[in-house]
Amino acid sequence: MKNIILCLALFVSILFSIPLPVQASQFSDIPDGHWARESVDFMVKKGVLSGYSNGAFRPNEAIDRAELTVMVHKLFNKLRPNLTPSYPDMKILKFEDVPKNHWAYQPLMEMYSADALGVVDWFGSKIYIYPEKKVTRWEAMFIFQSFFSQKMHQVPDDQVLQILAGIDDITLQSFDSTGYSSPYPGSAAVDLIKSDEYTISYSHLDTGEILFANRGIDALKAYALAWLVGNDIMSTWGNELEIHDPLTRAEAVVMLHRTYNVLLADGSLSTYTSK
């Protein structure tokens, strides 16, 4: 009898010491073999996704700013830019279009400070975030920049230009190609460059460094795109980002999963999350 009890105890011990596979997500529209299945399962495991009441995830539906922000807020639970802004006067106290009873009020108020360029809009003293606005792939770049700008600026300048040169639906132009010149890069001549949202203008300094135009806006776009594309967080098709297309819910989940893995690989994950 003792031997039987010992054998049962040993069996139970072995059974519970074997890691069991994570339960696959049960979303009706994310079947086995779906291209985003691994990322969806990962996000379910981390407590980020909960789908709709009918059991669907709607992977091909365009995601809006509030939905994407809530996902980032849940996955990266140490990342709260507006609670710890770079400067006290960068803290946002109110969005005109986010009442306190908004379903995403807390994440929106915690995740965006005044330096979230391309995301936060100012009209005099009033600030807007447009929580229900559908996110394009171009706008996703600005949103991710709001959270991971420090990582993005670690990309070496030569790699930034190399990556950008391979993206066909943005324009990379040297100052020299604009017809403006100055013996002192960074002077007023730089600000005379006619800018376009999808154009990134740059010049080489004598030190070998890169100067981006338009008071740093081009630098923001350049380093953000280089980090996202260089780490395959944002994919290109036929050398195009398809920047005008909406970001789908499935694409957003995959981008966040890949970001998590990049931070894990470089050893900085614990700065952003405890999950």
Side-chain angles (χ1 to χ4, degrees):
M1 187 65 179
K2 285 185 177 180
N3 288 337
I4 294 174
I5 294 174
L6 287 173
C7 287
L8 285 173
L10 180 61
F11 173 77
V12 171
S13 175
I14 293 173
L15 176 64
F16 285 97
S17 66
I18 297 173
L20 298 176
V22 176
Q23 184 178 4
S25 65
Q26 298 301 308
F27 296 125
S28 58
D29 48 2
I30 304 288
D32 290 335
H34 189 282
W35 67 274
R37 179 62 185 258
E38 180 183 354
S39 295
V40 169
D41 286 346
F42 170 84
M43 298 287 265
V44 169
K45 177 185 175 183
K46 296 297 183 182
V48 175
L49 297 183
S50 57
Y52 292 89
S53 58
N54 64 355
F57 176 63
R58 302 181 188 172
N60 299 321
E61 186 173 294
I63 197 167
D64 65 33
R65 289 184 170 193
E67 291 171 328
L68 179 55
T69 302
V70 169
M71 287 185 185
V72 180
H73 186 267
K74 287 182 177 180
L75 182 60
F76 298 105
N77 60 359
K78 292 184 179 180
L79 184 62
R80 302 292 184 264
N82 198 42
L83 296 185
T84 56
S86 303
Y87 302 97
D89 58 354
M90 302 299 283
K91 184 178 179 65
I92 292 177
L93 301 177
K94 178 185 177 182
F95 287 117
E96 296 295 324
D97 50 356
V98 185
K100 290 186 177 180
N101 62 352
H102 191 283
W103 72 275
Y105 175 80
Q106 182 178 352
L108 288 166
M109 291 305 305
E110 292 184 355
M111 297 303 284
Y112 298 104
S113 59
D115 58 354
L117 298 177
V119 184
V120 172
D121 271 357
W122 294 73
F123 290 94
S125 61
K126 295 183 177 181
I127 313 172
Y128 297 83
I129 189 70
Y130 312 119
E132 278 72 48
K133 183 181 180 182
K134 299 299 183 182
V135 179
T136 65
R137 291 172 57 80
W138 183 251
E139 291 168 345
M141 175 267 295
F142 282 103
I143 291 174
F144 273 70
Q145 191 280 148
S146 300
F147 307 134
F148 305 107
S149 61
Q150 289 185 339
K151 304 297 296 183
M152 293 169 172
H153 279 78
Q154 293 175 10
V155 182
D157 288 347
D158 58 339
Q159 290 185 26
V160 170
L161 294 183
Q162 183 179 4
I163 293 168
L164 296 181
I167 303 174
D168 291 344
D169 49 353
I170 64 167
T171 300
L172 186 65
Q173 72 174 4
S174 166
F175 291 172
D176 295 339
S177 69
T178 67
Y180 293 100
S181 62
S182 170
Y184 304 104
S187 69
V190 172
D191 294 327
L192 293 175
I193 294 173
K194 187 175 181 180
S195 64
D196 178 77
E197 185 177 10
Y198 308 113
T199 296
I200 298 175
S201 302
Y202 72 96
S203 182
H204 289 278
L205 299 177
D206 292 338
T207 60
E209 296 173 291
I210 302 297
L211 175 71
F212 291 98
N214 303 318
R215 298 187 178 92
I217 300 298
D218 282 17
L220 180 156
K221 294 184 287 187
Y223 288 103
L225 286 174
W227 189 75
L228 291 168
V229 175
N231 285 296
D232 197 33
I233 294 170
M234 182 176 280
S235 300
T236 57
W237 289 268
N239 294 331
E240 291 192 355
L241 277 173
E242 300 183 352
I243 52 181
H244 300 290
D245 288 355
L247 185 75
T248 67
R249 290 167 54 82
E251 289 172 334
V253 167
V254 170
M255 284 184 67
L256 288 172
H257 186 194
R258 291 176 178 176
T259 299
Y260 184 100
N261 287 337
V262 167
L263 300 175
L264 176 63
D266 71 15
S268 64
L269 183 64
S270 61
T271 302
Y272 297 90
T273 183
S274 62
K275 294 188 176 183

